[in-house]
Amino acid sequence: MATTVGQRLAALRAEHDLTLAALSEMTGISKSTLSRLETDQRKPTLELLLPLSRTYQVTLDDLVGAPEVGDPRVTMKPRELTHGRVGIPLTRSIGPLQAWKLIISDDRMHEPQVHEGYEWFYVLSGRIRLRLGDREVVLRAGEVAEFDCRQPHSLGSADGRPAEIISLFGKQGERLHTRAAPPDRS
């Protein structure tokens, strides 16, 4: 039988041999709020759980009875893709956002493609030639590109040697990052 957050909080207070008054003094949470939390009459919020977690020296996961998390590693197998590429998926499932590590060894530029989505990629090593519409740019390790996939685009190795990128792709064309501040318009 699963225990509630309130039951876990009451058990922890008993284990530490504390009264509601003593716990209130230690956490700054009123006795009535603590009592309602322990009887599941008050919804536990992060604002209330953090001081209790610190006082009891337990993790928030332990306080709320979070389920065990499985192995967090993503172990995906490399896939042979078209145009001299190997792709290693970095996300477990197909969703609105996908992450890939791509190894691009072919310097031949394939026919530009147009499709829904928005792509962002970071060059890990080597040099990448990106053709975007009528423009062509070469990106080196440490450089980033982002573009709307509705523009004709293709990419390949800029010098015939293997290059590696991390690519984030949103199928519905959503922007993949936000700016920290609006651009300066002065």
Side-chain angles (χ1 to χ4, degrees):
M1 179 193 228
T3 59
T4 66
V5 174
Q7 291 168 328
R8 282 188 290 284
L9 291 173
L12 282 166
R13 187 167 60 81
E15 281 177 34
H16 287 79
D17 197 29
L18 293 170
T19 64
L20 283 173
L23 184 58
S24 175
E25 193 170 306
M26 295 170 79
T27 61
I29 301 170
S30 73
K31 290 188 301 185
S32 65
T33 298
L34 290 168
S35 176
R36 286 184 287 145
L37 281 171
E38 288 184 5
T39 57
D40 294 311
Q41 295 174 358
R42 169 88 191 248
K43 190 174 192 162
T45 63
L46 194 55
E47 181 181 73
L48 296 171
L49 292 176
L50 281 173
L52 291 167
S53 172
R54 282 191 290 270
T55 299
Y56 293 137
Q57 296 181 331
V58 298
T59 66
L60 285 172
D61 284 351
D62 289 339
L63 277 183
V64 298
E68 285 290 317
V69 177
D71 188 345
R73 294 174 290 187
V74 176
T75 52
M76 305 301 256
K77 294 189 173 157
R79 299 181 196 170
E80 292 271 340
L81 305 173
T82 60
H83 309 293
R85 296 181 181 144
V86 173
I88 305 163
L90 301 176
T91 46
R92 290 182 197 267
S93 61
I94 296 176
L97 181 63
Q98 296 176 28
W100 290 78
K101 177 179 180 183
L102 297 174
I103 302 164
I104 301 169
S105 55
D106 191 346
D107 61 354
R108 291 176 294 159
M109 298 295 282
H110 60 83
E111 237 355 86
Q113 299 178 345
V114 176
H115 52 87
E116 286 297 313
Y118 202 86
E119 186 165 355
W120 173 97
F121 70 82
Y122 175 84
V123 182
L124 293 168
S125 66
R127 294 170 20 131
I128 294 289
R129 175 179 290 122
L130 169 64
R131 186 176 299 147
L132 191 59
D134 295 334
R135 296 185 55 207
E136 193 170 291
V137 294
V138 173
L139 294 102
R140 293 174 171 71
E143 292 187 304
V144 174
E146 67 171 328
F147 54 91
D148 185 330
C149 295
R150 292 175 292 188
Q151 295 180 62
H153 63 280
S154 64
L155 48 106
S157 168
D159 54 15
R161 292 188 290 220
E164 296 182 350
I165 66 173
I166 296 289
S167 174
L168 298 179
F169 173 76
K171 284 193 178 273
Q172 282 67 46
E174 61 270 57
R175 305 242 349 143
L176 299 175
H177 75 281
T178 56
R179 288 193 167 128
D184 184 15
R185 303 218 188 267
S186 56

